[in-house]
Amino acid sequence: MTDETMSQLAINTIRTLSIDAVQQAKSGHPGTPMALAPLVYTLWNREMRFDPQDPIWPNRDRFVLSNGHASMLLWSILHLTGVKAVDSHYERLGQPAVTLDDIRRFRQLDSKAPGHPEYRWVSGVETTTGPLGQGVATSVGMAIARKWLANRYNQPGFEIFNYNIYAVCGDGCMMEGIASEAASLAGHLGLDNLCWIFDNNHITIEGSTSLAFTEDVGTRFLAYGWNVLRVSDANDVDRIQRALEVFRQTKGRPTFIILDSHIGYGAPHKQDTAEAHGEPLGEDEIRLAKRGYGWPEEAKFFVPDGVYAHFAAGIGTRGEQARRQWTDLFAAYKAKFPELAAEIEQMQRRELPAGWDRNLPVFPADPKGLAGREASGKVLNVLAQNIPWLIGGSADLGPSNKTTLTFDGAGHFQAGNPGGRNLHYGIREHAMGAIVNGLSLSKLRGFGATFFIFTDYARPAIRLSAVMELPTIFVFTHDAMGDGEDGPTHQPVEHLASLRAIPGLVTLRPGDANEVVEAYRCIMKLCHKPAVLALSRQPLPTLDRSKYAPASGVAQGAYVLADAPGGKPEIILIASGSEVSLAVQAHETLLAEGIRSRVVSMPSWDIFENQTQEYRESVLLPQVSVRLAVEQASTFGWERYVGDKGRVIGMTTFGASAPLKELQKKFGFEPDRVVAVAKELLRTNQSRSASENLVSKTNPAMAHAL
């Protein structure tokens, strides 16, 4: 059998496995795998430096399927190339990442062939995709990371990092704004290690793209500064391969390949139709398509003899050779540059260097205090000097977020300076979130920053960070009404509740400068969870820790900051962020009046909920049902902590445009207001208790009902 014939057999195997899997699942997207099988075959079996036996070796090429609904493309190629599984501890298991049985059980519970690519669930998946545009935007972060890694670690004669990033995308990705944001930045940075291949099939779920999308995509990318190529026949593997060769030879610009394709290729009645996009073809159409491919019409999940061996001789042999050459090179590199090699190994294991938290500041007590963002900037600059691979920046708000790294040698990442530690994402919050994910997927500690209100623009990427269990860092300032005059458009109300609702996302709202330090200490230890910091714009009093509990309590999510004599409070005041000092002031007033109160600082619900029940009950005493929470945010969710006898001083409306002090007065965030509500709650509770006691004496049956 000729190589050309064998290649076509392999391509049609990808197509028919995809068709059969979607049909058996009774759901999925067969049309794109049918169209793009030649592309994926060419990339994997002829071009990519990827070893199926070791799918996590550091210098492998990355493949991103941004149009993740076409996941059967990925499951087919991972199966046919024999990619081996790796566990969460980075141990190679030796078993297949995707078996033929997984493909038979496509989209079924516990199958390693889920509906969309899922990072950490299936080896060989470089990032979770599905929400269109996220994959290509994430690939920009991967390309930035590779540039940075090469700049820091490559030495004369030791090209340790030189891998490329390939991302496949469709019309949907091109329409999503996040892709435009990311492409603009990639062009500006001249990321010549990045190649996007655009499946130009002119079909979406509703029908022809002409319904809503008639722009000249190629011209758009030329304007971004990309090298734009076109392959007019998606079945021409030789022309695809030549285009990929041009990409590798192009310097100073990323490459955008427009691949003209036919969705549902080979299905005589559904090719080039919306029906081929998102539903099974049906048994009759499948038989006709297989007949056109020269395939056994009744065969299901059929892999012809020689196909596995063909892939083993292609990517298997080439990938193993590339990986072994790199391993030998790294061994010599390790002998000559042991400190740099140690950094690479620590990075790959998501470990921190020794002394990573040395010299972190300790802030003295100060009634005037320091803004959360100011404290954050000081901490971040220390951490970045201790952790060389901590890299990031802001969506054009560095001076306001205080996230600019200012130490000697920090530098700014640009096309001509790929070693800079400061990234400038531009006013592109959504792309920033995805790029931070790409940095983290490349094992850097990436961070991004903006105003807290603009988490609305970044939230989809933050959510994916949690889905992928990435240790990303998001620094959000102006967390409440501190920028008062800007008004409700810039005053986050519902945002804390929104982020707290994301499973696995650690949201921290520290109450003073020392809590900021401890928040970072918690965040940097995370290996499989993203974290959000919500920080104040305005100064917050730095509490006297000789009088109040140490800020190390942040590590438990909530802790007793100030207590009643004997640890027997009548009421518990709970607060986060800027309202912690407010609760402390109210506590002192109540104590002076003989009212026993406890102050609980609660910077993180998520961390607190993961403590033992014994610890949680030691902080929020079950016998003390009178509780008052104070937070400049939506009251939504606080009922879990205050119960039916408590109350929340929070926001039930949007804010207003006025100086901060006026807003605090208007919305009740003042010590006197907290004291008044606390007293009211105690009176109400005492009155209720008295009523229950009276009923108990006069009507025992009614008391039992109560």
Side-chain angles (χ1 to χ4, degrees):
M1 189 177 293
T2 67
D3 185 66
E4 182 178 351
T5 303
M6 197 68 237
S7 296
Q8 192 59 52
L9 193 65
I11 290 167
N12 287 337
T13 303
I14 296 170
R15 285 171 166 151
T16 55
L17 285 177
S18 301
I19 291 170
D20 289 341
V22 171
Q23 186 67 28
Q24 181 141 312
K26 297 182 174 61
S27 72
H29 303 261
T32 300
M34 295 165 73
L36 295 187
L39 167 68
V40 170
Y41 167 81
T42 306
L43 265 172
W44 283 72
N45 212 41
R46 294 189 178 184
E47 294 297 317
M48 283 176 51
R49 293 168 295 175
F50 182 94
D51 183 7
Q53 302 300 312
D54 188 357
I56 61 170
W57 68 287
N59 200 42
R60 69 192 180 278
D61 286 343
R62 268 59 165 182
F63 175 80
V64 174
L65 186 67
S66 191
N67 43 348
H69 55 269
S71 59
M72 270 311 306
L73 268 174
L74 192 51
W75 308 142
S76 296
I77 201 69
L78 293 181
H79 170 67
L80 294 172
T81 57
V83 171
K84 295 297 188 285
V86 178
D87 67 14
S88 60
H89 301 292
Y90 312 113
E91 296 174 344
R92 287 76 169 171
L93 303 180
Q95 65 197 48
V98 178
T99 66
L100 197 56
D101 187 56
D102 287 319
I103 290 175
R104 289 190 183 98
R105 298 180 57 253
F106 174 55
R107 288 178 164 239
Q108 307 308 302
L109 188 64
D110 295 330
S111 170
K112 296 297 184 180
H116 290 85
E118 294 187 31
Y119 177 75
R120 284 180 59 80
W121 176 244
V122 188
S123 300
V125 175
E126 300 289 0
T127 181
T128 296
T129 56
L132 294 175
Q134 289 285 342
V136 284
T138 301
S139 75
V140 173
M142 294 176 174
I144 291 171
R146 204 282 277 166
K147 287 284 187 179
W148 188 89
L149 288 166
N151 183 84
R152 179 169 179 82
Y153 296 108
N154 289 1
Q155 300 293 327
F158 293 92
E159 198 170 6
I160 300 300
F161 292 106
N162 61 2
Y163 60 87
N164 293 318
I165 298 92
Y166 300 92
V168 177
C169 53
D171 293 295
C173 293
M174 291 300 99
M175 293 187 214
E176 290 287 358
I178 186 174
S180 297
E181 292 181 21
S184 174
L185 183 59
H188 165 75
L189 293 174
L191 300 176
D192 52 23
N193 56 345
L194 178 64
C195 179
W196 291 5
I197 303 109
F198 168 39
D199 175 26
N200 185 36
N201 62 40
H202 302 289
I203 294 293
T204 61
I205 288 176
E206 291 187 355
S208 170
T209 54
S210 63
L211 291 169
F213 188 61
T214 51
E215 69 182 49
D216 186 334
V217 177
T219 300
R220 192 220 303 184
F221 274 76
L222 285 172
Y224 288 148
W226 289 56
N227 179 36
V228 177
L229 307 173
R230 189 167 207 130
V231 176
S232 60
D233 182 3
N235 290 304
D236 192 333
V237 295
D238 291 331
R239 289 188 63 188
I240 291 171
Q241 189 168 10
R242 284 197 296 272
L244 295 172
E245 289 170 357
V246 171
F247 152 63
R248 290 199 308 276
Q249 294 165 6
T250 299
K251 302 303 176 187
R253 292 183 292 171
T255 293
F256 185 74
I257 300 174
I258 301 172
L259 183 66
D260 295 328
S261 71
H262 296 280
I263 195 168
Y265 177 79
H269 302 109
K270 295 190 176 182
Q271 179 175 309
D272 297 326
T273 69
E275 286 75 18
H277 184 286
E279 60 188 53
L281 295 179
E283 294 293 352
D284 291 341
E285 190 74 0
I286 288 174
R287 279 192 289 272
L288 292 173
K290 288 181 177 178
R291 184 183 304 170
Y293 299 150
W295 212 254
E297 295 178 22
E298 303 302 326
K300 303 287 186 183
F301 303 101
F302 175 54
V303 181
D305 291 343
V307 170
Y308 292 120
H310 180 67
F311 280 109
I315 188 174
T317 299
R318 191 183 66 257
E320 182 182 18
Q321 182 180 19
R323 193 255 304 170
R324 288 189 182 279
Q325 287 176 348
W326 184 89
T327 302
D328 292 343
L329 181 69
F330 187 72
Y333 178 87
K334 189 173 182 179
K336 191 168 184 179
F337 306 102
E339 293 182 1
L340 292 176
E343 287 185 12
I344 293 171
E345 291 176 331
Q346 286 176 320
M347 241 190 307
Q348 294 300 313
R349 296 191 298 266
R350 296 205 188 279
E351 296 175 354
L352 295 168
W356 66 270
D357 58 350
R358 65 181 180 274
N359 302 325
L360 285 178
V362 176
F363 295 97
D366 183 355
K368 293 183 178 179
L370 197 66
R373 60 175 177 165
E374 295 279 0
S376 169
K378 295 178 185 298
V379 175
L380 199 54
N381 268 276
V382 172
L383 288 171
Q385 291 178 77
N386 296 342
I387 306 169
W389 52 92
L390 179 61
I391 174 175
S394 172
D396 198 56
L397 291 169
S400 291
N401 298 145
K402 307 300 181 185
T403 48
T404 303
L405 302 178
T406 57
F407 57 87
D408 288 344
H412 300 270
F413 188 100
Q414 292 291 316
N417 183 32
R421 304 282 293 281
N422 287 292
L423 290 178
H424 299 274
Y425 300 104
I427 306 165
R428 306 179 178 102
E429 294 89 355
H430 198 179
M432 175 184 72
I435 289 167
V436 171
N437 289 344
L439 297 174
S440 183
L441 288 161
S442 307
K443 302 300 176 70
L444 301 185
R445 274 318 275 277
F447 67 89
T450 185
F451 290 169
F452 195 38
I453 190 75
F454 299 135
T455 55
D456 285 336
Y457 291 160
R459 192 178 185 279
I462 297 171
R463 181 181 185 272
L464 277 183
S465 215
V467 170
M468 291 188 277
E469 301 180 10
L470 299 177
T472 50
I473 303 168
F474 296 96
V475 181
F476 297 127
T477 67
H478 300 59
D479 68 332
M481 285 186 279
D483 56 346
E485 292 86 348
D486 281 338
T489 63
H490 280 57
Q491 293 163 2
V493 173
E494 72 278 18
H495 300 71
L496 273 169
S498 172
L499 293 174
R500 285 167 174 162
I502 297 177
L505 176 66
V506 177
T507 302
L508 287 140
R509 188 171 183 245
D512 76 347
N514 287 307
E515 282 201 359
V516 171
V517 176
E518 296 306 317
Y520 270 108
R521 204 186 298 273
C522 292
I523 288 169
M524 297 313 300
K525 294 176 184 177
L526 297 174
C527 291
H528 299 299
K529 283 188 175 185
V532 162
L533 270 173
L535 303 169
S536 73
R537 172 184 186 256
Q538 74 278 16
L540 305 179
T542 304
L543 299 173
D544 183 352
R545 297 293 171 167
S546 66
K547 180 178 181 181
Y548 303 111
S552 56
V554 170
Q556 281 72 50
Y559 64 104
V560 178
L561 178 62
D563 209 0
K568 296 182 178 180
E570 302 170 71
I571 184 171
I572 299 176
L573 308 177
I574 317 168
S576 78
S578 51
E579 289 70 66
V580 170
S581 59
L582 183 62
V584 169
Q585 292 176 61
H587 164 77
E588 298 293 350
T589 300
L590 291 169
L591 281 184
E593 296 182 18
I595 298 173
R596 303 187 309 278
S597 65
R598 165 179 287 188
V599 177
V600 171
S601 175
M602 186 177 280
S604 177
W605 291 12
D606 179 84
I607 296 175
F608 183 63
E609 291 295 337
N610 281 282
Q611 304 307 307
T612 64
Q613 181 176 350
E614 181 182 15
Y615 176 78
R616 285 184 278 119
E617 290 184 353
S618 74
V619 175
L620 299 177
L621 300 169
Q623 64 270 30
V624 182
S625 58
V626 185
R627 300 174 182 179
L628 175 59
V630 190
E631 188 173 65
Q632 281 187 35
S634 169
T635 60
F636 184 80
W638 273 108
E639 60 275 2
R640 73 171 65 183
Y641 297 119
V642 300
D644 59 359
K645 295 182 181 179
R647 193 179 301 177
V648 183
I649 298 176
M651 296 296 293
T652 56
T653 66
F654 293 111
S657 177
L660 176 59
K661 288 186 177 180
E662 293 182 25
L663 292 171
Q664 289 172 328
K665 182 177 181 180
K666 174 180 174 61
F667 292 106
F669 296 103
E670 294 184 309
D672 290 348
R673 169 69 172 156
V674 177
V675 169
V677 173
K679 290 179 177 178
E680 181 185 339
L681 279 172
L682 285 167
R683 286 194 301 270
T684 301
N685 185 66
Q686 290 166 357
S687 175
R688 179 175 177 176
S689 297
S691 297
E692 290 174 352
N693 289 335
L694 180 62
V695 169
S696 177
K697 292 178 181 178
T698 59
N699 191 337
M702 180 64 74
H704 179 74
L706 289 172

